[in-house]
Amino acid sequence: MNIAVISYSFTGNNQLLAGSVAKELSAEHIQISEPKTRTMGSIALDMMFSRTPQVQPAPETMESYDLLLFFGPVWMGHVAAPLRAYLKYLKSHPQRYGFLSISGGADGPNPKLTGDLRKRAGADPAVLIDLHIADLLPNREKTVRKDTTAYRLNDSDIHRLTYTMMKTIRDVI
Ligand SMILES: Cc1cc2nc3c(=O)[nH]c(=O)nc-3n(C[C@H](O)[C@H](O)[C@H](O)COP(=O)(O)O)c2cc1C
């Protein structure tokens, strides 16, 4: 099966995890970049006004794969804005896809993710995994947003999270 791992990352966590999963799958790892510099301000504006920012590479490059595994952060309960152009492309060019994330989780799960993916891609993901940084930290009940947003995955986290994700991914490939 021809799988593409496609990642967007603002602070590096999802990029590292995507790279590790891609290696496990012997899949190509495509990293999304933005021509405009991303800031906290532009995150807030894109999420509040549901904007779809420009990204590279063009979504058309995904055409030849059997399964697309998107990695990216959750922002304000939704899939990060730089993944939107790819999800929108799937609406007119349906393909099997998944969304995988290491998000903060300081406020608990992100219940709007499934609906956001369905609305934007026009179909449910074959796999949806949202793992949380809060679960990696020692004092789960005292963890606040500031702690999770500042956290950067280490090698041991990557190893554990890759193992966890692979157990589910194997069921869909
Ligand atoms: C503006 C902003 C909003 C965020 N909103 C959420 C959220 O709603 N839910 C969540 O679980 N994590 C949230 N996070 C935490 C990120 O998902 C988390 O830090 C993630 O690991 C960052 O991934 P990256 O390093 O690949 O960019 C938010 C982070 C930022 C910067």
Side-chain angles (χ1 to χ4, degrees), residues 5-44:
V5 169
I6 302 164
S7 71
Y8 169 78
S9 191
F10 181 49
T11 56
N13 290 336
N14 283 281
Q15 182 182 330
L16 285 174
L17 185 55
S20 172
V21 169
K23 202 169 161 198
E24 253 341 274
L25 291 167
S26 301
E28 188 173 350
H29 181 195
I30 300 167
Q31 295 179 42
I32 299 170
S33 63
E34 298 185 279
K36 276 196 187 164
T37 305
R38 177 58 63 182
T39 62
M40 283 297 213
S42 68
I43 292 178

Side-chain angles (χ1 to χ4, degrees), residues 156-173:
S156 148
D157 298 330
I158 299 286
H159 188 77
R160 281 166 56 197
L161 297 172
T162 301
Y163 178 79
T164 303
M165 285 190 166
M166 284 303 297
K167 279 193 286 184
T168 305
I169 295 171
R170 283 207 183 90
D171 290 341
V172 298
I173 59 175

Side-chain angles (χ1 to χ4, degrees), residues 8-15 40 43-44 72-78 101-110 130-133 145 148-153:
Y8 169 78
S9 191
F10 181 49
T11 56
N13 290 336
N14 283 281
Q15 182 182 330
M40 283 297 213
I43 292 178
V74 174
W75 288 341
M76 300 181 182
H78 296 74
S101 181
I102 175 70
S103 66
D107 303 324
N110 294 294
D130 179 26
L131 302 179
H132 297 149
I133 287 169
R145 282 183 201 175
T148 56
T149 305
Y151 192 78
R152 303 293 173 265
L153 299 181

